[in-house]
Amino acid sequence: GISTCIRRAGTMKTTTSKKSALNISQDFTRFMGDKNFPFKVTAFIGQSEIICSGVIISQQSKILEEKIRNEKGRLIFEELVGVQDCEETLKDCLSYLHGAELKFSMASIATILKFASFYKVGNLIEKSTEWIGSSQQIGVVQTIYYFNIANCLDVEES
C-alpha cells in the first residue's frame, strides 16, 4: 500500500495555520441534558492517551461525534490506514480541533489531508489545500498524489 506519512529528505518548509476561531457559532444546546454524551473523551494515538473535550471535537466533525457516541468516549483512529507511524501529526490534528496551531510540512500534509477528509473537517481541508497552493515544493503530480491518498478529491465543506 501507499504510506500516508510521506517524508522527504533535505530541508522541509514548515508553516503554521491558526483557525480564525473555534466553530462556536453553532448551537451547542444539543448536548444539554444529554446524560449519555461523553463530555470527556480519551483519544488513543499510539501508546498515548489524550484527554479531550467531546463537545469541542463534535462541533468540528459530525463523524467524530458519532464515533465518540458509539465508543462511549473512546476515540481510536484505526480507520486511518497507514497513519500509525504518523502519531505526532495525528496528535497535532486533534489539538487543532481544540484551537491550537497546526504545522504544515511535506512530512505532515498527507496525514493531515487524510484526517481532514475522512472525518470531514472542512476548515482543515481548506487550510491544507491553501498550504499546498502556496507551497513551492509541491508540484501538480505530487498534489494529485496527496489528494488521492487522502481520498479528498470529492470532499464537501461541512
Side-chain angles (χ1 to χ4, degrees), residues 19 23 26 41-45 56-71 74-84 89-97 110-126 149-152 154-158:
K19 279 180 127 174
N23 191 3
Q26 295 179 0
V41 172
T42 303
F44 297 90
I45 300 175
I56 290 175
I57 292 172
S58 296
Q59 284 298 97
Q60 307 305 317
S61 167
K62 289 181 170 74
I63 293 172
L64 286 173
E65 177 180 358
E66 182 178 329
K67 188 172 178 59
I68 289 168
R69 287 180 183 276
N70 290 342
E71 298 299 323
R74 293 173 46 95
L75 192 55
I76 302 170
F77 301 102
E78 75 276 353
E79 307 93 350
L80 295 180
V81 175
V83 297
Q84 294 83 1
T89 302
L90 283 175
K91 290 176 187 176
D92 291 344
C93 289
L94 197 56
S95 295
Y96 179 80
L97 294 180
T111 301
I112 293 169
L113 274 171
K114 183 122 181 152
F115 180 91
S117 66
F118 191 88
Y119 296 116
K120 306 269 189 266
V121 183
N123 185 279
L124 187 52
I125 294 166
E126 180 183 331
I149 288 171
N151 297 321
C152 66
D154 63 348
V155 172
E156 296 177 13
E157 180 87 13
S158 57

